[in-house]
Amino acid sequence: MAADLSGRSVAVLATDGVEQVELTQPVKALKDAGAQVHVVSPKTDTIQGWNHFDKADPIPVDQPLGQVNPERYDALVLPGGVINPDQLRIDPKAVQFVRHFVETGKPIAAICHGPWTLIEADGVRGRRMTSWPSLRTDLRNAGAQWVDEEVVTDMGLVTSRSPKDLPAFCRKMIEEFREGRHERRARATGAADEGSARAAERPAAQEPHVGR
């Protein structure tokens, strides 16, 4: 597997409050598979990792979010932890960064609370996926088909529920990242955007005039 992802670049988007093991284990798996991996964050220098309710270790930031172009990356990882995605999903630059991967059909792997940011980037509608159980209603309300499985893949989107699913998550992540961009998903996203734009431009129906 050492050369599976040779020549591929992967962004791991995270900030303070990230569940540490959900960042460090995927990063290790990706590097072991030959990928170049960057931790991208709105923060600079380091972010604070967490082990569920307890502080863990500082994690070095490789690329500040405001200085990096998402086009340089072939795939995206979204770790969980409650605090981490709750901050990212209200950061316009973070949401726009994620939206690039959604709109271009590049593979995305999100675990635990990570899919929260995908909702803001309109990346879950019509997708079969899983997450930490407390996100179930949010994802369903955003148009996802939520299932309770250790790992779910759907046209380049890999999702898992929690740290206990990391072995399966990392295996599927490597598989999907090796396959690369899903043209069919990119076309479907583009078609949906065009349809929404046409609907927005369509003039409102005129009420019939009733004479007195």
Side-chain angles (χ1 to χ4, degrees), residues 47-127:
I47 56 177
Q48 180 61 55
W50 281 73
N51 180 14
H52 203 39
F53 295 117
D54 302 316
K55 276 189 177 181
D57 302 320
I59 299 169
V61 172
D62 299 307
Q63 294 288 341
L65 178 61
Q67 300 175 21
V68 70
N69 187 338
E71 292 187 6
R72 69 179 292 186
Y73 297 106
D74 302 298
L76 173 68
V77 178
L78 295 171
V82 179
I83 302 170
N84 162 53
D86 200 38
Q87 293 184 82
L88 293 176
R89 64 180 178 154
I90 59 172
D91 183 326
K93 289 182 179 178
V95 173
Q96 188 57 40
F97 188 85
V98 175
R99 186 174 287 123
H100 166 80
F101 294 86
V102 173
E103 293 179 347
T104 57
K106 292 178 181 178
I108 300 170
I111 187 168
C112 196
H113 290 78
W116 252 346
T117 315
L118 273 176
I119 292 174
E120 297 302 321
D122 197 21
V124 307
R125 187 183 299 119
R127 311 306 296 277

Side-chain angles (χ1 to χ4, degrees), residues 10-30:
V10 180
V12 181
L13 181 64
T15 191
D16 288 335
V18 64
E19 187 72 16
Q20 182 161 311
V21 71
E22 293 175 358
L23 184 150
T24 56
Q25 283 198 23
V27 166
K28 182 180 186 304
L30 289 163

Side-chain angles (χ1 to χ4, degrees), residues 157-174:
L157 176 62
V158 182
T159 51
S160 283
R161 302 167 300 187
S162 72
K164 70 180 182 181
D165 299 329
L166 275 165
F169 177 75
C170 290
R171 284 194 301 271
K172 285 296 183 182
M173 173 186 68
I174 298 296

Side-chain angles (χ1 to χ4, degrees), residues 133-152:
S134 63
L135 273 66
R136 174 180 55 207
T137 300
D138 290 348
L139 288 166
R140 285 177 172 167
N141 287 343
Q145 178 191 351
W146 190 91
V147 295
D148 184 13
E149 298 176 12
E150 72 170 357
V151 63
V152 180

Side-chain angles (χ1 to χ4, degrees), residues 1-7 28-36 174 178:
M1 183 183 288
D4 278 356
L5 298 179
S6 180
K28 182 180 186 304
L30 289 163
K31 288 182 175 180
D32 287 349
Q36 179 186 57
I174 298 296
R178 185 174 62 241

